[in-house]
Coordinates of all heavy atoms in Angstrom, one line a residue:
M1 N 22.8 -31.4 -21.7 CA 22.3 -31.8 -20.4 C 23.4 -32.5 -19.6 O 24.1 -33.4 -20.1 CB 21.2 -32.9 -20.6 CG 19.9 -32.6 -20.0 SD 18.7 -33.9 -20.2 CE 17.3 -32.9 -20.4
T2 N 23.6 -32.1 -18.4 CA 24.6 -32.7 -17.6 C 24.1 -34.1 -17.0 O 22.9 -34.3 -16.9 CB 25.0 -31.8 -16.4 OG1 23.8 -31.7 -15.5 CG2 25.4 -30.4 -16.9
P3 N 25.0 -34.9 -16.7 CA 24.6 -36.2 -16.1 C 23.8 -36.1 -14.9 O 22.9 -36.9 -14.7 CB 26.0 -36.9 -15.8 CG 26.9 -36.3 -16.7 CD 26.5 -34.9 -16.9
W4 N 24.0 -35.1 -14.1 CA 23.2 -35.0 -12.8 C 21.8 -34.7 -13.1 O 20.9 -35.2 -12.5 CB 23.8 -33.9 -11.9 CG 25.0 -34.3 -11.3 CD1 26.3 -33.9 -11.5 CD2 25.2 -35.3 -10.3 NE1 27.2 -34.6 -10.8 CE2 26.5 -35.5 -10.0 CE3 24.3 -36.1 -9.6 CZ2 27.0 -36.4 -9.0 CZ3 24.7 -37.0 -8.6 CH2 26.0 -37.1 -8.4
V5 N 21.5 -33.9 -14.2 CA 20.1 -33.6 -14.5 C 19.4 -34.8 -15.0 O 18.3 -35.1 -14.7 CB 20.1 -32.5 -15.6 CG1 18.7 -32.3 -16.1 CG2 20.6 -31.2 -15.1
V6 N 20.1 -35.6 -15.7 CA 19.6 -36.9 -16.2 C 19.3 -37.9 -15.1 O 18.2 -38.5 -15.0 CB 20.6 -37.6 -17.3 CG1 20.1 -39.0 -17.6 CG2 20.7 -36.7 -18.5
F7 N 20.2 -38.0 -14.1 CA 20.0 -38.9 -13.0 C 18.9 -38.4 -12.1 O 18.0 -39.2 -11.7 CB 21.3 -38.9 -12.1 CG 22.4 -39.6 -12.7 CD1 23.7 -39.1 -12.5 CD2 22.3 -40.7 -13.5 CE1 24.8 -39.8 -13.1 CE2 23.3 -41.4 -14.1 CZ 24.6 -40.9 -13.8
I8 N 18.7 -37.1 -11.9 CA 17.6 -36.6 -11.1 C 16.3 -36.8 -11.8 O 15.3 -37.2 -11.2 CB 17.9 -35.1 -10.8 CG1 19.1 -35.0 -9.8 CG2 16.6 -34.5 -10.2 CD1 19.5 -33.6 -9.5
A9 N 16.3 -36.6 -13.1 CA 15.0 -36.7 -13.9 C 14.6 -38.2 -13.9 O 13.4 -38.5 -13.7 CB 15.3 -36.2 -15.3
I10 N 15.6 -39.1 -14.1 CA 15.2 -40.5 -14.1 C 14.8 -40.9 -12.7 O 13.8 -41.7 -12.5 CB 16.4 -41.4 -14.5 CG1 16.7 -41.2 -16.0 CG2 16.2 -42.8 -14.2 CD1 17.9 -41.8 -16.5
G11 N 15.4 -40.5 -11.6 CA 15.0 -40.8 -10.3 C 13.6 -40.3 -10.0 O 12.8 -41.0 -9.4
L12 N 13.3 -39.1 -10.3 CA 12.0 -38.5 -10.1 C 10.9 -39.3 -10.9 O 9.8 -39.5 -10.4 CB 11.9 -37.0 -10.5 CG 12.7 -36.1 -9.5 CD1 12.7 -34.7 -10.0 CD2 12.1 -36.2 -8.1
G13 N 11.3 -39.7 -12.1 CA 10.3 -40.4 -13.0 C 10.0 -41.8 -12.4 O 8.8 -42.2 -12.3
T14 N 11.0 -42.5 -12.0 CA 10.8 -43.8 -11.4 C 10.0 -43.7 -10.0 O 9.2 -44.5 -9.7 CB 12.1 -44.6 -11.2 OG1 13.0 -43.9 -10.4 CG2 12.8 -44.9 -12.5
Y15 N 10.3 -42.7 -9.3 CA 9.6 -42.5 -8.0 C 8.2 -42.2 -8.3 O 7.3 -42.8 -7.6 CB 10.2 -41.3 -7.2 CG 9.5 -41.1 -5.9 CD1 9.7 -41.9 -4.8 CD2 8.6 -40.0 -5.8 CE1 9.1 -41.7 -3.6 CE2 8.0 -39.8 -4.6 CZ 8.2 -40.6 -3.5 OH 7.5 -40.4 -2.3
A16 N 7.9 -41.4 -9.3 CA 6.5 -41.0 -9.6 C 5.8 -42.3 -10.1 O 4.6 -42.5 -9.8 CB 6.4 -39.9 -10.7
L17 N 6.4 -43.1 -10.9 CA 5.8 -44.3 -11.4 C 5.4 -45.3 -10.2 O 4.3 -45.8 -10.2 CB 6.7 -45.0 -12.3 CG 6.1 -45.4 -13.6 CD1 6.8 -44.8 -14.8 CD2 6.2 -46.9 -13.8
R18 N 6.4 -45.5 -9.3 CA 6.1 -46.3 -8.1 C 5.0 -45.7 -7.2 O 4.2 -46.5 -6.7 CB 7.4 -46.5 -7.3 CG 8.4 -47.3 -8.1 CD 9.7 -47.4 -7.3 NE 10.7 -48.1 -8.1 CZ 12.0 -48.1 -7.8 NH1 12.4 -47.5 -6.7 NH2 12.9 -48.6 -8.6
A19 N 5.1 -44.5 -7.0 CA 4.1 -43.8 -6.1 C 2.7 -43.8 -6.7 O 1.7 -43.9 -6.0 CB 4.6 -42.4 -5.7
S20 N 2.6 -43.8 -8.0 CA 1.3 -43.7 -8.7 C 0.5 -45.0 -8.4 O -0.7 -44.9 -8.3 CB 1.5 -43.5 -10.2 OG 2.0 -44.7 -10.7
M21 N 1.1 -46.1 -8.2 CA 0.4 -47.3 -7.9 C -0.3 -47.2 -6.5 O -1.4 -47.7 -6.3 CB 1.3 -48.5 -7.9 CG 1.8 -48.8 -9.3 SD 0.5 -48.9 -10.6 CE 0.4 -50.6 -10.7
F22 N 0.5 -46.6 -5.6 CA -0.1 -46.5 -4.2 C -1.2 -45.4 -4.2 O -2.2 -45.6 -3.5 CB 1.0 -46.1 -3.2 CG 2.0 -47.2 -3.0 CD1 3.2 -47.1 -3.5 CD2 1.6 -48.4 -2.3 CE1 4.2 -48.2 -3.2 CE2 2.5 -49.4 -2.1 CZ 3.8 -49.3 -2.6
V23 N -1.0 -44.3 -4.9 CA -2.0 -43.3 -4.9 C -3.2 -43.6 -5.7 O -4.3 -43.4 -5.2 CB -1.3 -42.0 -5.6 CG1 -2.4 -40.9 -5.8 CG2 -0.2 -41.5 -4.7
L24 N -3.1 -44.3 -6.8 CA -4.3 -44.6 -7.6 C -5.0 -45.9 -7.1 O -6.2 -46.0 -7.2 CB -3.9 -44.8 -9.1 CG -3.3 -43.6 -9.8 CD1 -2.8 -44.0 -11.2 CD2 -4.3 -42.5 -9.8
L25 N -4.3 -46.8 -6.6 CA -4.9 -48.1 -6.3 C -4.8 -48.4 -4.7 O -5.1 -49.6 -4.3 CB -4.2 -49.3 -7.0 CG -4.2 -49.1 -8.5 CD1 -3.4 -50.3 -9.2 CD2 -5.7 -49.2 -9.1
G26 N -4.4 -47.5 -3.9 CA -4.2 -47.7 -2.5 C -5.4 -48.0 -1.8 O -5.4 -48.7 -0.7
D27 N -6.6 -47.5 -2.2 CA -7.8 -47.7 -1.4 C -8.6 -49.0 -1.8 O -9.6 -49.3 -1.2 CB -8.7 -46.5 -1.5 CG -9.1 -46.2 -2.9 OD1 -8.4 -46.7 -3.8 OD2 -10.0 -45.3 -3.1
R28 N -8.1 -49.7 -2.8 CA -8.8 -50.9 -3.3 C -8.2 -52.1 -2.7 O -7.0 -52.2 -2.4 CB -8.7 -51.0 -4.8 CG -9.3 -49.8 -5.5 CD -9.2 -50.0 -7.0 NE -9.7 -48.8 -7.6 CZ -9.5 -48.5 -8.9 NH1 -8.9 -49.4 -9.7 NH2 -10.0 -47.5 -9.5
S29 N -9.0 -53.1 -2.5 CA -8.4 -54.4 -2.0 C -8.2 -55.3 -3.2 O -8.9 -55.2 -4.3 CB -9.4 -55.1 -1.1 OG -10.6 -55.3 -1.7
L30 N -7.2 -56.2 -3.1 CA -6.8 -57.1 -4.1 C -7.8 -58.3 -4.2 O -8.3 -58.7 -3.2 CB -5.4 -57.6 -3.9 CG -4.3 -56.7 -4.0 CD1 -3.0 -57.3 -3.6 CD2 -4.2 -56.1 -5.5
P31 N -8.0 -58.8 -5.4 CA -8.9 -60.0 -5.5 C -8.1 -61.2 -4.8 O -6.9 -61.2 -4.7 CB -9.1 -60.2 -7.0 CG -8.1 -59.3 -7.7 CD -7.7 -58.3 -6.7
T32 N -8.9 -62.2 -4.5 CA -8.3 -63.3 -3.8 C -7.3 -64.1 -4.6 O -6.4 -64.7 -4.1 CB -9.4 -64.3 -3.3 OG1 -10.2 -64.7 -4.3 CG2 -10.2 -63.6 -2.2
W33 N -7.5 -64.1 -5.9 CA -6.6 -64.9 -6.8 C -5.3 -64.2 -6.9 O -4.3 -64.8 -7.3 CB -7.2 -65.1 -8.2 CG -7.5 -63.8 -9.0 CD1 -8.6 -63.1 -9.0 CD2 -6.6 -63.2 -9.9 NE1 -8.5 -62.0 -9.8 CE2 -7.2 -62.1 -10.4 CE3 -5.3 -63.5 -10.3 CZ2 -6.6 -61.2 -11.3 CZ3 -4.7 -62.6 -11.2 CH2 -5.4 -61.5 -11.7
T34 N -5.1 -63.0 -6.5 CA -3.8 -62.3 -6.4 C -3.3 -62.2 -5.0 O -2.1 -62.3 -4.8 CB -3.8 -60.9 -7.0 OG1 -4.8 -60.1 -6.3 CG2 -4.2 -60.9 -8.5
S35 N -4.1 -62.1 -4.0 CA -3.6 -61.9 -2.7 C -3.1 -63.2 -2.1 O -2.2 -63.2 -1.3 CB -4.7 -61.3 -1.7 OG -5.8 -62.2 -1.7
T36 N -3.7 -64.4 -2.5 CA -3.2 -65.6 -2.0 C -1.8 -66.0 -2.4 O -1.0 -66.3 -1.5 CB -4.2 -66.8 -2.4 OG1 -5.5 -66.4 -2.0 CG2 -3.8 -68.1 -1.8
P37 N -1.4 -65.8 -3.7 CA 0.0 -66.1 -4.0 C 0.9 -65.0 -3.5 O 2.1 -65.3 -3.2 CB 0.0 -66.0 -5.6 CG -1.5 -66.3 -6.0 CD -2.3 -65.8 -4.9
L38 N 0.4 -63.8 -3.3 CA 1.3 -62.7 -2.8 C 1.7 -63.0 -1.4 O 2.8 -62.5 -0.9 CB 0.6 -61.4 -2.9 CG 0.6 -60.7 -4.3 CD1 -0.2 -59.4 -4.3 CD2 2.0 -60.5 -4.8
A39 N 0.9 -63.7 -0.6 CA 1.3 -64.1 0.8 C 2.5 -65.0 0.8 O 3.2 -65.0 1.8 CB 0.1 -64.7 1.4
L40 N 2.8 -65.6 -0.3 CA 4.0 -66.6 -0.3 C 5.3 -65.9 -0.9 O 6.3 -66.5 -0.9 CB 3.6 -67.8 -1.2 CG 2.4 -68.6 -0.7 CD1 2.1 -69.7 -1.7 CD2 2.7 -69.1 0.7
V41 N 5.2 -64.7 -1.3 CA 6.4 -64.0 -1.9 C 7.4 -63.8 -0.8 O 8.6 -64.0 -1.1 CB 5.9 -62.7 -2.6 CG1 7.1 -61.8 -3.0 CG2 5.1 -63.0 -3.8
A42 N 7.1 -63.3 0.3 CA 8.1 -63.0 1.4 C 8.8 -64.2 1.8 O 10.1 -64.2 1.9 CB 7.5 -62.2 2.6
P43 N 8.1 -65.3 2.2 CA 8.9 -66.5 2.5 C 9.8 -67.1 1.4 O 10.9 -67.6 1.7 CB 7.8 -67.6 2.9 CG 6.6 -66.7 3.2 CD 6.7 -65.5 2.4
A44 N 9.3 -67.0 0.2 CA 10.1 -67.5 -0.9 C 11.3 -66.6 -1.1 O 12.4 -67.2 -1.4 CB 9.3 -67.5 -2.2
A45 N 11.2 -65.3 -1.0 CA 12.3 -64.4 -1.1 C 13.4 -64.7 0.0 O 14.6 -64.7 -0.3 CB 11.9 -63.0 -1.1
I46 N 12.9 -64.9 1.2 CA 13.8 -65.1 2.3 C 14.5 -66.5 2.1 O 15.7 -66.6 2.3 CB 13.1 -65.1 3.7 CG1 12.7 -63.6 4.0 CG2 14.0 -65.6 4.8 CD1 11.9 -63.4 5.2
A47 N 13.8 -67.5 1.7 CA 14.4 -68.8 1.4 C 15.4 -68.7 0.3 O 16.5 -69.3 0.4 CB 13.3 -69.8 1.0
A48 N 15.2 -68.0 -0.7 CA 16.1 -67.8 -1.8 C 17.4 -67.1 -1.3 O 18.5 -67.5 -1.7 CB 15.5 -67.1 -3.0
L49 N 17.2 -66.1 -0.5 CA 18.4 -65.3 0.0 C 19.2 -66.2 0.9 O 20.5 -66.2 0.8 CB 17.9 -64.1 0.7 CG 17.4 -62.9 -0.1 CD1 16.8 -61.9 0.7 CD2 18.5 -62.4 -1.0
V50 N 18.6 -66.9 1.8 CA 19.3 -67.8 2.7 C 20.0 -68.9 2.0 O 21.2 -69.2 2.2 CB 18.4 -68.3 3.8 CG1 19.1 -69.4 4.6 CG2 17.9 -67.2 4.7
A51 N 19.4 -69.5 1.0 CA 20.0 -70.6 0.2 C 21.2 -70.1 -0.6 O 22.2 -70.7 -0.6 CB 18.9 -71.2 -0.7
S52 N 21.0 -68.9 -1.2 CA 22.2 -68.4 -2.0 C 23.3 -68.0 -1.1 O 24.5 -68.2 -1.5 CB 21.7 -67.2 -2.9 OG 21.4 -66.1 -2.0
M53 N 23.0 -67.5 0.1 CA 24.1 -67.1 1.0 C 24.7 -68.3 1.7 O 25.9 -68.3 2.0 CB 23.6 -66.2 2.1 CG 23.2 -64.8 1.6 SD 22.3 -63.8 2.7 CE 23.2 -64.0 4.2
T54 N 24.0 -69.4 1.8 CA 24.5 -70.6 2.5 C 25.3 -71.5 1.6 O 26.3 -72.0 2.0 CB 23.3 -71.4 3.0 OG1 22.6 -70.6 3.9 CG2 23.8 -72.6 3.8
F55 N 24.9 -71.6 0.3 CA 25.5 -72.6 -0.6 C 26.4 -72.1 -1.6 O 26.9 -72.8 -2.5 CB 24.4 -73.5 -1.2 CG 23.6 -74.3 -0.1 CD1 22.3 -74.0 0.1 CD2 24.2 -75.2 0.7 CE1 21.6 -74.7 1.0 CE2 23.5 -75.9 1.7 CZ 22.2 -75.6 1.8
T56 N 26.6 -70.8 -1.7 CA 27.5 -70.2 -2.7 C 28.4 -69.1 -2.1 O 28.0 -68.5 -1.1 CB 26.7 -69.5 -3.9 OG1 25.9 -68.5 -3.3 CG2 25.8 -70.5 -4.6
S57 N 29.5 -69.0 -2.7 CA 30.5 -68.0 -2.3 C 31.2 -67.5 -3.6 O 31.9 -68.3 -4.2 CB 31.5 -68.5 -1.3 OG 32.4 -67.5 -0.9
N58 N 31.1 -66.2 -3.9 CA 31.8 -65.7 -5.1 C 31.4 -66.4 -6.4 O 32.2 -66.6 -7.2 CB 33.3 -65.7 -4.9 CG 33.7 -64.7 -3.8 OD1 33.1 -63.7 -3.6 ND2 34.8 -65.1 -3.1
G59 N 30.2 -66.8 -6.5 CA 29.7 -67.5 -7.7 C 30.0 -69.0 -7.7 O 29.7 -69.6 -8.7
H60 N 30.6 -69.5 -6.7 CA 31.0 -70.9 -6.7 C 30.2 -71.6 -5.6 O 29.9 -71.1 -4.5 CB 32.5 -71.2 -6.5 CG 33.3 -70.5 -7.5 ND1 33.4 -70.9 -8.8 CD2 34.1 -69.4 -7.4 CE1 34.2 -70.1 -9.5 NE2 34.6 -69.2 -8.6
A61 N 29.8 -72.9 -5.8 CA 29.1 -73.7 -4.8 C 30.0 -74.2 -3.8 O 31.0 -74.9 -4.0 CB 28.4 -74.9 -5.5
E62 N 29.7 -73.7 -2.5 CA 30.5 -74.2 -1.4 C 29.7 -73.8 -0.1 O 28.9 -72.9 -0.1 CB 31.9 -73.6 -1.3 CG 31.9 -72.1 -1.1 CD 33.3 -71.6 -1.0 OE1 34.1 -71.8 -1.9 OE2 33.6 -70.9 0.0
L63 N 29.9 -74.6 0.9 CA 29.2 -74.4 2.2 C 29.7 -73.1 2.9 O 30.9 -72.8 2.8 CB 29.2 -75.6 3.0 CG 28.3 -76.7 2.6 CD1 28.5 -77.9 3.6 CD2 26.8 -76.3 2.6
T64 N 28.9 -72.6 3.8 CA 29.3 -71.4 4.5 C 30.0 -71.9 5.8 O 30.1 -73.1 6.1 CB 28.1 -70.5 4.9 OG1 28.5 -69.4 5.5 CG2 27.1 -71.3 5.8
S65 N 30.4 -71.0 6.7 CA 31.2 -71.3 7.9 C 30.3 -72.0 8.9 O 29.0 -71.9 8.9 CB 31.8 -70.1 8.4 OG 30.9 -69.2 8.9
V66 N 30.9 -72.6 9.9 CA 30.1 -73.3 11.0 C 29.3 -72.3 11.8 O 28.1 -72.6 12.1 CB 31.1 -74.1 11.9 CG1 30.4 -74.7 13.1 CG2 31.8 -75.2 11.1
P67 N 29.8 -71.1 12.2 CA 29.0 -70.2 13.0 C 27.7 -69.8 12.2 O 26.6 -69.7 12.8 CB 29.9 -69.0 13.2 CG 31.2 -69.6 13.2 CD 31.2 -70.7 12.1
E68 N 27.8 -69.6 10.9 CA 26.7 -69.2 10.1 C 25.7 -70.4 10.0 O 24.5 -70.2 10.0 CB 27.1 -68.7 8.7 CG 27.8 -67.4 8.8 CD 28.3 -66.9 7.4 OE1 28.1 -67.6 6.4 OE2 28.8 -65.8 7.4
M69 N 26.2 -71.6 9.9 CA 25.3 -72.8 9.8 C 24.6 -72.9 11.1 O 23.4 -73.3 11.1 CB 26.1 -74.0 9.4 CG 26.7 -74.0 8.1 SD 25.4 -74.0 6.8 CE 25.1 -75.7 6.6
L70 N 25.2 -72.7 12.2 CA 24.5 -72.8 13.5 C 23.5 -71.7 13.7 O 22.4 -72.0 14.2 CB 25.6 -72.7 14.7 CG 26.6 -73.8 14.8 CD1 27.6 -73.5 15.9 CD2 25.8 -75.1 15.2
A71 N 23.8 -70.5 13.2 CA 22.7 -69.4 13.2 C 21.6 -69.8 12.4 O 20.4 -69.5 12.7 CB 23.4 -68.1 12.8
I72 N 21.8 -70.3 11.2 CA 20.7 -70.7 10.3 C 19.9 -71.8 10.9 O 18.6 -71.7 10.8 CB 21.3 -71.1 8.9 CG1 21.9 -69.9 8.2 CG2 20.2 -71.8 8.1 CD1 22.7 -70.3 7.0
A73 N 20.5 -72.8 11.5 CA 19.8 -73.8 12.2 C 18.9 -73.3 13.3 O 17.7 -73.7 13.5 CB 20.7 -74.9 12.7
G74 N 19.5 -72.4 14.1 CA 18.7 -71.8 15.2 C 17.6 -71.0 14.8 O 16.4 -71.1 15.3
A75 N 17.8 -70.2 13.7 CA 16.7 -69.4 13.1 C 15.7 -70.2 12.5 O 14.4 -69.9 12.6 CB 17.3 -68.4 12.1
F76 N 16.0 -71.3 11.9 CA 15.0 -72.2 11.3 C 14.1 -72.8 12.4 O 12.9 -72.9 12.3 CB 15.7 -73.4 10.6 CG 14.8 -74.4 10.0 CD1 14.0 -74.1 8.9 CD2 14.6 -75.6 10.7 CE1 13.1 -75.1 8.4 CE2 13.8 -76.6 10.2 CZ 13.0 -76.3 9.1
V77 N 14.7 -73.3 13.5 CA 13.9 -73.9 14.6 C 13.0 -72.8 15.2 O 11.8 -73.1 15.4 CB 14.9 -74.4 15.7 CG1 14.1 -74.8 17.0 CG2 15.6 -75.6 15.2
V78 N 13.4 -71.6 15.4 CA 12.6 -70.6 16.0 C 11.5 -70.2 15.0 O 10.3 -70.0 15.4 CB 13.4 -69.3 16.3 CG1 12.6 -68.1 16.7 CG2 14.4 -69.7 17.5
T79 N 11.8 -70.1 13.7 CA 10.7 -69.8 12.7 C 9.7 -70.9 12.7 O 8.5 -70.6 12.6 CB 11.4 -69.6 11.4 OG1 12.4 -68.6 11.4 CG2 10.3 -69.2 10.3
R80 N 10.1 -72.2 12.8 CA 9.1 -73.3 12.7 C 8.3 -73.2 14.0 O 7.1 -73.6 13.9 CB 9.8 -74.6 12.6 CG 10.5 -74.8 11.3 CD 9.6 -75.0 10.2 NE 8.8 -76.2 10.4 CZ 7.7 -76.6 9.7 NH1 7.3 -75.8 8.7 NH2 7.1 -77.7 9.9
R81 N 8.8 -72.8 15.1 CA 8.0 -72.8 16.4 C 7.1 -71.6 16.5 O 6.0 -71.7 16.9 CB 9.0 -72.8 17.6 CG 9.8 -74.1 17.7 CD 9.4 -74.8 18.9 NE 10.0 -76.1 18.9 CZ 10.5 -76.7 20.0 NH1 10.5 -76.0 21.1 NH2 11.0 -77.9 19.9
T82 N 7.6 -70.4 16.1 CA 6.8 -69.2 16.3 C 6.2 -68.7 15.0 O 5.2 -68.0 15.1 CB 7.7 -68.1 16.8 OG1 8.7 -67.7 15.8 CG2 8.4 -68.5 18.1
G83 N 6.7 -69.0 13.8 CA 6.2 -68.5 12.6 C 6.5 -67.1 12.4 O 5.9 -66.4 11.5
N84 N 7.4 -66.5 13.1 CA 7.8 -65.1 13.0 C 9.2 -64.9 12.6 O 10.1 -65.4 13.3 CB 7.5 -64.4 14.4 CG 7.6 -62.9 14.3 OD1 8.2 -62.3 13.4 ND2 6.9 -62.3 15.2
V85 N 9.4 -64.2 11.5 CA 10.8 -64.0 11.0 C 11.6 -63.1 11.9 O 12.8 -63.3 12.0 CB 10.7 -63.4 9.5 CG1 12.0 -63.1 9.0 CG2 9.9 -64.4 8.6
M86 N 10.9 -62.1 12.6 CA 11.6 -61.2 13.5 C 12.3 -62.0 14.7 O 13.3 -61.7 15.1 CB 10.8 -60.1 14.0 CG 10.3 -59.2 12.9 SD 11.7 -58.5 11.9 CE 12.5 -57.5 13.1
H87 N 11.5 -63.0 15.1 CA 12.1 -63.9 16.2 C 13.3 -64.6 15.7 O 14.3 -64.8 16.4 CB 11.1 -64.9 16.7 CG 9.9 -64.2 17.4 ND1 8.7 -64.8 17.6 CD2 9.8 -63.0 18.0 CE1 8.0 -64.0 18.3 NE2 8.6 -62.9 18.6
A88 N 13.3 -65.1 14.4 CA 14.4 -65.8 13.8 C 15.6 -64.9 13.8 O 16.7 -65.3 14.0 CB 14.1 -66.3 12.4
I89 N 15.5 -63.6 13.4 CA 16.6 -62.7 13.4 C 17.1 -62.5 14.8 O 18.3 -62.4 15.0 CB 16.1 -61.4 12.7 CG1 15.8 -61.6 11.2 CG2 17.2 -60.3 12.8 CD1 15.2 -60.5 10.5
A90 N 16.2 -62.3 15.7 CA 16.6 -62.0 17.1 C 17.3 -63.2 17.7 O 18.1 -63.0 18.6 CB 15.3 -61.7 17.9
V91 N 17.1 -64.4 17.2 CA 17.8 -65.6 17.8 C 19.1 -65.9 16.9 O 20.1 -66.2 17.4 CB 16.9 -66.8 17.8 CG1 17.6 -68.1 18.1 CG2 15.8 -66.6 18.9
G92 N 18.9 -65.8 15.6 CA 20.0 -66.1 14.7 C 21.3 -65.3 14.8 O 22.4 -65.8 14.8
L93 N 21.1 -64.0 15.0 CA 22.2 -63.1 15.1 C 23.0 -63.3 16.3 O 24.3 -63.5 16.2 CB 21.8 -61.6 15.0 CG 21.5 -61.1 13.6 CD1 21.0 -59.7 13.7 CD2 22.8 -61.1 12.8
P94 N 22.4 -63.4 17.5 CA 23.3 -63.7 18.7 C 24.0 -65.1 18.6 O 25.1 -65.3 19.1 CB 22.3 -63.7 19.8 CG 21.2 -62.8 19.4 CD 21.1 -63.1 17.9
I95 N 23.3 -66.1 18.0 CA 24.0 -67.4 17.8 C 25.2 -67.2 16.9 O 26.2 -67.8 17.2 CB 23.0 -68.4 17.3 CG1 21.9 -68.8 18.3 CG2 23.7 -69.7 16.8 CD1 20.8 -69.7 17.8
S96 N 25.0 -66.5 15.9 CA 26.2 -66.3 14.9 C 27.3 -65.6 15.6 O 28.5 -65.9 15.5 CB 25.7 -65.5 13.7 OG 26.8 -65.1 12.9
W97 N 27.0 -64.5 16.4 CA 28.0 -63.8 17.1 C 28.7 -64.7 18.1 O 30.0 -64.6 18.3 CB 27.4 -62.6 17.8 CG 26.9 -61.5 16.9 CD1 27.3 -61.3 15.6 CD2 25.8 -60.6 17.1 NE1 26.5 -60.2 15.0 CE2 25.6 -59.8 16.0 CE3 25.0 -60.4 18.2 CZ2 24.6 -58.8 15.9 CZ3 24.1 -59.4 18.2 CH2 23.9 -58.6 17.0
L98 N 28.0 -65.4 18.9 CA 28.5 -66.2 20.0 C 29.4 -67.3 19.4 O 30.5 -67.6 19.9 CB 27.4 -66.8 20.9 CG 27.8 -67.5 22.1 CD1 28.6 -66.6 23.0 CD2 26.6 -68.1 22.8
A99 N 28.8 -68.0 18.3 CA 29.6 -69.1 17.7 C 30.9 -68.6 17.0 O 31.9 -69.2 17.1 CB 28.7 -69.8 16.7
T100 N 30.8 -67.4 16.5 CA 32.0 -66.8 15.8 C 33.1 -66.5 16.9 O 34.3 -66.7 16.8 CB 31.7 -65.5 15.1 OG1 30.7 -65.9 14.1 CG2 32.9 -64.9 14.4
F101 N 32.6 -66.0 18.1 CA 33.5 -65.6 19.2 C 34.2 -66.9 19.7 O 35.3 -66.9 20.0 CB 32.7 -64.9 20.3 CG 33.5 -64.6 21.5 CD1 34.5 -63.6 21.4 CD2 33.4 -65.3 22.6 CE1 35.3 -63.2 22.5 CE2 34.1 -64.9 23.8 CZ 35.1 -63.9 23.7
I102 N 33.4 -68.0 19.9 CA 33.9 -69.2 20.5 C 34.8 -70.0 19.5 O 35.8 -70.5 19.9 CB 32.7 -70.1 21.0 CG1 32.0 -69.4 22.2 CG2 33.2 -71.5 21.4 CD1 30.7 -70.1 22.6
L103 N 34.4 -70.1 18.3 CA 35.0 -70.9 17.3 C 36.2 -70.3 16.6 O 36.9 -71.0 15.9 CB 34.0 -71.5 16.3 CG 32.9 -72.4 16.9 CD1 31.9 -72.7 15.9 CD2 33.5 -73.6 17.5
T104 N 36.4 -69.0 16.7 CA 37.5 -68.4 16.0 C 38.5 -67.8 17.0 O 38.3 -67.6 18.1 CB 37.0 -67.3 15.0 OG1 36.2 -66.3 15.7 CG2 36.3 -68.0 13.9

């Protein structure tokens, strides 16, 4: 067996496994004891990503640059006001670009 056949077989197998959950359970609703905690997964994942990007660099603890800190602060304010992550991205990226342009 060539490596490509193995890669393709594994890829198709994992795709079938993932798709089976949507096909078999897609028309059912989740019980409240599972849907309530699942609503907190996205904010927790975003918080973990932002924290790891802000306070670490190459596996070492250190703060990020000033433009990125300004973008994070702006995105935080917008998220607290609107509750929408897309608004935070729409505000945070231009702040980062503008601060990078001005400060460097």
Side-chain angles (χ1 to χ4, degrees):
M1 233 184 219
T2 67
W4 286 109
V5 173
V6 173
F7 290 144
I8 291 171
I10 290 172
L12 289 174
T14 57
Y15 180 78
L17 228 120
R18 292 176 188 168
S20 68
M21 296 305 260
F22 293 110
V23 171
L24 297 175
L25 303 174
D27 58 345
R28 298 180 186 171
S29 62
L30 292 173
T32 56
W33 63 271
T34 58
S35 62
T36 303
L38 282 176
L40 302 174
V41 170
I46 290 173
L49 287 170
V50 168
S52 67
M53 290 170 45
T54 303
F55 300 114
T56 62
S57 176
N58 295 326
H60 302 291
E62 66 179 53
L63 287 177
T64 187
S65 66
V66 173
E68 289 177 359
M69 293 298 273
L70 292 172
I72 291 168
F76 175 76
V77 169
V78 169
T79 303
R80 291 292 293 171
R81 295 248 171 138
T82 66
N84 192 335
V85 176
M86 293 307 293
H87 291 160
I89 293 170
V91 168
L93 278 174
I95 290 174
S96 175
W97 296 332
L98 187 62
T100 301
F101 178 73
I102 292 171
L103 297 174
T104 56

